[in-house]
């Protein structure tokens, strides 16, 4: 999480720098028509800001366009835009906890969740965000990152070419601002479009950026798969891991086929037992299959609370409880077969155990 | 109860529990679909109960007329797959593909494979042209063929579908194993 936070912190700079130019135009567009105060437009934001900062904000569009602004101005620039896009939610995440949340959600969640969470959770403490020093951007990277994705979705098409141009031009400042956070650019895939952080000395070519974003997406998914498939953690290299995955899928499919053949072979039995064990009453029909019906019949009735699922649980329990009861009326044996049946992983073991006991008994 | 479950699953399920509970939301189109927690107990129960019902229907259909041709296995397998896809609630591509094609997918696939093999056998491939297919892409194609309905899918989406498919398959194997054990255990008891 800290890494993610650091990445957010450092990476927001370039993003923020890039965003500023586009946002400035937006802001001018926003401020020109009559802003309704209750809609959280730019004026509302300005009103909440202390006067000096507000003046700065008003002036900064010009400054930012001319020179690469320090992030604080840019951050304050972005707020009206973000406010407007939220339509009244004066929400700015300024908590470290929120940053972590946004990072967490942005890594795993879809594109909507970071801005939604930010909107829901963040206190509207503009003052805290406004006091940003150029270096202090931990609150706003989150808002930038999280909030950008939401407007980004809407205005994706026009943003992307602009962004890439700015990224190319802003390489110099990128290098400077990225000096703080030199970590890997792993955030690229969270957001709906290319949102890749550039490392020091790496190309900011639009193609390579897209390539990098794509690669990061793929790598993240490969990691998940590696965790899923046993024995893939030690293997390095995409091709070999893919081999393992393919083998695993094939073996699983073969297992399913084998089990289905086995089930088909047990065919005549299924009709009997399924009908009997799934019957709500079960008392009379069970006689045909299982011996010593009295105690087991009592047992499901005690446990059954009218829920269908419970009955089906009983179905799985009873067949095993039967032989045990027949052999020894030990009630403490209830729990173990029940647990073992519930956890399918050990069911194979326990089932073989029970069948062994059955055979011993008979 | 839960402790035993966790003990049994502890090695495998921990990394999954990190990723599964996180519900991914979709924007408009399915970017990252909501994943079913295949490892959870409830899912297993849901699946096994549905499977039992479905199997009953299938096997009752087959049982009175003794099967002349032994295709019961295939039917069982197909019903199991369909039940699995139904349990997935159609959120993933492979589940939709399974449910959408009631025709025998496997038969069609075998036919397709034969056709394709014949075709590639005729096409002459020089060593240079063969190297143009990167190895990873070839394997991605193979994986796409394995996961139902994911042939012409982009690589990252394919990986995601494969993740879900693998966990679903594992659950299916577990459920069917338990079912067969239960039934064969009962059978031996009653017969003896």
């Amino acid at each position: 999480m800290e890494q993610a936070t650091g990445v957010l912190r450092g990476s927001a700079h370039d993003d923020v720098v890039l965003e500023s130019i586009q946002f400035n135009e937006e802001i001018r567009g926003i401020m020109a028509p009559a802003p309704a105060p209750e809609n959280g437009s730019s004026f509302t934001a300005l009103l909440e800001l202390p006067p000096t900062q507000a003046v700065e904000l008003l002036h900064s569009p010009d400054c930012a366009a001319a020179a690469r602004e320090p992030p604080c101005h840019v951050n304050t620039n972005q707020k009206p835009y973000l406010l407007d896009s939220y339509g009244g939610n004066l929400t700015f995440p300024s908590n470290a906890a929120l940053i972590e949340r946004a990072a967490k959600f942005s890594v795993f969640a879809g594109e909507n969740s970071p801005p939604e969470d930010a909107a829901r959770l963040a206190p509207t403490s503009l003052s805290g965000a406004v006091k940003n020093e150029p270096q202090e951007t931990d609150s706003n990277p989150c808002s930038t990152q999280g909030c950008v994705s939401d407007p980004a979705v809407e205005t994706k098409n026009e943003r992307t070419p602009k962004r890439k141009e700015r990224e190319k031009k802003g390489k110099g400042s990128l290098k400077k601002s990225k000096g703080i956070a030199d970590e890997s650019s792993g955030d690229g895939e969270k957001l709906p479009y290319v949102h890749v952080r550039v490392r020091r000395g790496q190309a900011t070519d639009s193609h390579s950026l897209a390539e990098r974003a794509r690669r990061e997406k793929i790598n993240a998914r490969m990691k998940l798969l590696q965790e899923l498939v046993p024995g893939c953690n030690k293997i390095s290299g995409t091709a070999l891991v893919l081999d393992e995955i393919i083998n695993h899928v094939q073996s699983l499919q073969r297992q399913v086929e084998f089990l289905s053949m086995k089930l088909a072979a047990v065919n005549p039995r299924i009709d009997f037992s399924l009908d009997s064990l799934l019957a709500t009453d079960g008392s009379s029909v069970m006689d045909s299959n299982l011996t010593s019906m009295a105690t087991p019949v009592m047992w499901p009735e005690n446990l059954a609370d009218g829920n269908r699922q419970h009955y089906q649980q009983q179905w799985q329990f009873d067949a095993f409880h039967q032989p045990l009861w027949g052999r020894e009326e030990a009630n403490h044996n209830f729990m173990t077969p029940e647990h073992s049946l519930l956890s399918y992983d050990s069911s194979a073991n326990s089932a073989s155990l029970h069948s062994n006991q059955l055979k011993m008994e008979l | 109860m839960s402790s035993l479950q966790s003990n049994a699953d502890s090695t495998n399920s921990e990394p999954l529990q990190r990723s599964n509970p996180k519900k991914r939301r979709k924007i408009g189109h399915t970017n990252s679909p909501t994943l079913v927690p295949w490892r959870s107990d409830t899912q297993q129960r849901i699946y096994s109960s549905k499977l039992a019902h479905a199997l009953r229907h299938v096997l009752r259909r087959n049982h009175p007329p003794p099967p002349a041709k032994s295709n019961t296995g295939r039917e069982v397998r197909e019903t199991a797959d369909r039940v699995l896809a139904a349990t997935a609630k159609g959120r993933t591509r492979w589940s939709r593909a399974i449910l959408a094609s009631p025709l025998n997918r496997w038969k069609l696939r075998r036919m397709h494979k034969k056709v394709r093999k014949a075709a590639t056998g005729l096409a002459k491939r020089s060593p240079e042209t063969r190297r143009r297919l990167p190895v990873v892409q070839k394997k991605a194609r193979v994986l796409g063929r394995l996961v139902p309905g994911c042939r012409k899918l982009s690589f990252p989406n394919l990986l995601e579908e494969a993740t879900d498919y693998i966990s679903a398959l594992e659950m299916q194997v577990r459920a069917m194993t338990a079912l067969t054990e239960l039934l064969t255990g009962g059978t031996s008891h009653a017969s003896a």
Side-chain angles (χ1 to χ4, degrees):
Chain A
M1 273 312 148
E2 289 168 353
Q3 224 181 10
T5 316
V7 172
L8 280 175
R9 225 175 267 150
S11 57
H13 288 276
D14 34 329
D15 230 13
V16 148
V17 168
L18 307 167
E19 300 282 327
S20 65
I21 298 126
Q22 302 147 13
F23 288 160
N24 295 334
E25 296 151 8
E26 282 271 338
I27 288 163
R28 286 194 206 116
I30 290 165
M31 293 207 266
E38 58 272 4
N39 277 346
S41 64
S42 56
F43 269 22
T44 319
L46 287 177
L47 288 173
E48 294 199 38
L49 298 175
T52 52
Q53 297 275 0
V55 168
E56 240 178 347
L57 175 62
L58 283 173
H59 284 309
S60 55
D62 309 317
C63 308
R68 296 285 170 260
E69 271 290 298
C72 68
H73 294 300
V74 174
N75 289 336
T76 53
N77 268 345
Q78 291 173 344
K79 281 181 205 145
Y81 173 80
L82 296 168
L83 281 177
D84 195 65
S85 69
Y86 277 126
N89 273 342
L90 304 180
T91 55
F92 286 100
S94 54
N95 301 338
L98 197 60
I99 296 164
E100 298 188 50
R101 270 245 189 173
K104 184 166 62 162
F105 277 105
S106 51
V107 169
F108 287 107
E111 293 72 20
N112 261 334
S113 58
E116 283 173 7
D117 278 325
R120 261 186 274 127
L121 300 170
T124 62
S125 57
L126 281 178
S127 56
V130 156
K131 284 177 206 151
N132 263 342
E133 302 294 335
Q135 286 76 28
E136 223 184 61
T137 54
D138 35 4
S139 64
N140 284 317
C142 175
S143 67
T144 313
Q145 178 119 8
C147 306
V148 158
S149 60
D150 189 37
V153 173
E154 306 159 44
T155 61
K156 184 181 352 184
N157 296 329
E158 64 224 44
R159 290 273 170 265
T160 320
K162 275 189 195 170
R163 164 184 303 281
K164 292 189 174 166
E165 279 172 38
R166 307 294 181 226
E167 279 180 348
K168 275 191 209 164
K169 286 187 200 163
K171 183 177 176 185
S173 60
L174 280 177
K175 279 198 174 175
K176 261 187 256 171
S177 52
K178 275 305 283 184
I180 301 172
D182 216 355
E183 288 135 7
S184 68
S185 51
D187 315 341
E189 62 147 311
K190 302 179 245 176
L191 300 174
Y193 65 114
V194 176
H195 207 73
V196 182
R197 313 288 173 262
V198 181
R199 277 201 253 191
R200 283 184 80 110
Q202 284 193 346
T204 51
D205 187 28
S206 64
H207 290 297
S208 50
L209 283 172
E211 214 17 67
R212 197 172 303 122
R214 182 177 158 272
R215 255 183 278 144
E216 280 155 9
K217 252 203 276 187
I218 290 178
N219 286 339
R221 306 239 166 97
M222 288 284 287
K223 249 193 295 179
L224 281 178
L225 266 175
Q226 270 183 309
E227 289 163 4
L228 196 49
V229 178
C232 255
N233 285 325
K234 300 148 193 163
I235 303 180
S236 61
T238 315
L240 297 174
V241 169
L242 276 180
D243 270 340
E244 276 301 313
I245 293 170
I246 288 172
N247 284 337
H248 195 236
V249 169
Q250 278 174 337
S251 78
L252 282 175
Q253 284 179 342
R254 260 181 275 139
Q255 274 179 350
V256 169
E257 282 227 37
F258 176 68
L259 283 171
S260 66
M261 300 293 259
K262 219 170 156 190
L263 267 181
V266 183
N267 180 6
R269 177 93 188 121
I270 286 188
D271 238 9
F272 259 168
S273 40
L274 285 182
D275 273 339
S276 62
L277 298 171
L278 285 174
T280 56
D281 195 0
S283 55
S284 54
V285 191
M286 274 209 235
D287 279 326
S288 59
N289 292 335
L290 314 164
T291 61
S292 68
M293 294 313 305
T295 33
V297 168
M298 300 273 288
W299 203 71
E301 282 170 3
N302 289 337
L303 284 188
D305 53 10
N307 194 355
R308 187 104 181 102
Q309 282 231 338
H310 279 274
Y311 285 124
Q312 285 159 7
Q313 273 180 2
Q314 307 310 315
W315 159 57
Q316 292 169 7
F317 300 150
D318 288 338
F320 283 110
H321 285 152
Q322 248 315 289
L324 291 178
W325 284 337
R327 196 163 44 105
E328 37 175 78
E329 294 92 11
N331 280 351
H332 63 272
N333 276 339
F334 271 71
M335 289 330 212
T336 41
E338 179 180 338
H339 291 312
S340 61
L341 279 169
L342 269 186
S343 61
Y344 279 132
D345 284 354
S346 51
S347 70
N349 303 336
S350 60
S352 55
L353 198 64
H354 290 314
S355 54
N356 287 340
Q357 288 167 350
L358 279 179
K359 282 160 191 156
M360 275 165 32
E361 173 189 3
L362 304 169
Chain B
M1 207 192 300
S2 57
S3 63
L4 256 181
Q5 173 84 21
S6 59
N7 283 340
D9 289 346
S10 59
T11 50
N12 277 343
S13 65
E14 270 172 1
L16 276 184
Q17 280 165 3
R18 252 197 300 114
S19 55
N20 277 338
K22 293 205 162 93
K23 302 289 185 208
R24 307 186 190 183
R25 301 189 216 162
K26 343 180 192 179
I27 286 193
H29 199 56
T30 318
N31 245 345
S32 39
T34 316
L35 296 182
V36 183
W38 291 107
R39 283 228 154 231
S40 67
D41 206 19
T42 49
Q43 286 298 323
Q44 282 186 357
R45 281 200 216 124
I46 292 173
Y47 177 69
S48 46
S49 58
K50 286 188 185 172
L51 184 64
H53 280 284
L55 281 181
R56 232 184 332 149
H57 288 296
V58 170
L59 295 166
R60 191 172 293 152
R61 212 177 344 121
N62 263 356
H63 182 44
K69 43 171 183 170
S70 57
N71 57 350
T72 319
R74 190 160 27 88
E75 286 179 18
V76 170
R77 194 239 158 99
E78 279 171 13
T79 49
D81 280 342
R82 274 207 293 270
V83 173
L84 187 69
T87 318
K89 297 196 181 85
R91 282 190 215 114
T92 46
R93 216 180 155 83
W94 60 264
S95 58
R96 288 194 290 266
I98 290 181
L99 291 173
S101 67
L103 318 167
N104 275 339
R105 280 186 311 120
W106 300 100
K107 266 190 181 167
L108 288 177
R109 260 207 203 171
R110 284 184 210 132
M111 280 162 43
H112 277 297
K113 277 185 186 163
K114 284 179 189 165
V115 169
R116 220 175 275 157
K117 274 184 187 164
T120 52
L122 291 174
K124 288 182 189 164
R125 285 194 170 268
S126 56
E128 301 108 45
T129 54
R130 204 180 300 139
R131 236 195 304 130
R132 280 204 204 128
L133 301 173
V135 179
V136 177
Q137 275 191 17
K138 258 195 283 185
K139 309 205 172 173
R141 297 264 185 282
V142 174
L143 189 58
R145 280 206 302 267
L146 279 180
V147 182
C150 293
R151 287 210 201 147
K152 291 191 181 171
L153 210 56
S154 62
F155 194 45
N157 291 333
L158 180 61
L159 291 180
E160 210 171 319
E161 292 286 325
T163 317
D164 199 46
Y165 188 56
I166 287 179
S167 35
L169 275 183
E170 282 176 358
M171 192 210 74
Q172 188 181 19
V173 165
R174 282 200 303 268
M176 287 176 75
T177 317
L179 190 57
T180 48
E181 289 290 339
L182 174 64
L183 291 173
T184 51
T187 309
S188 64
H189 170 68
S191 60

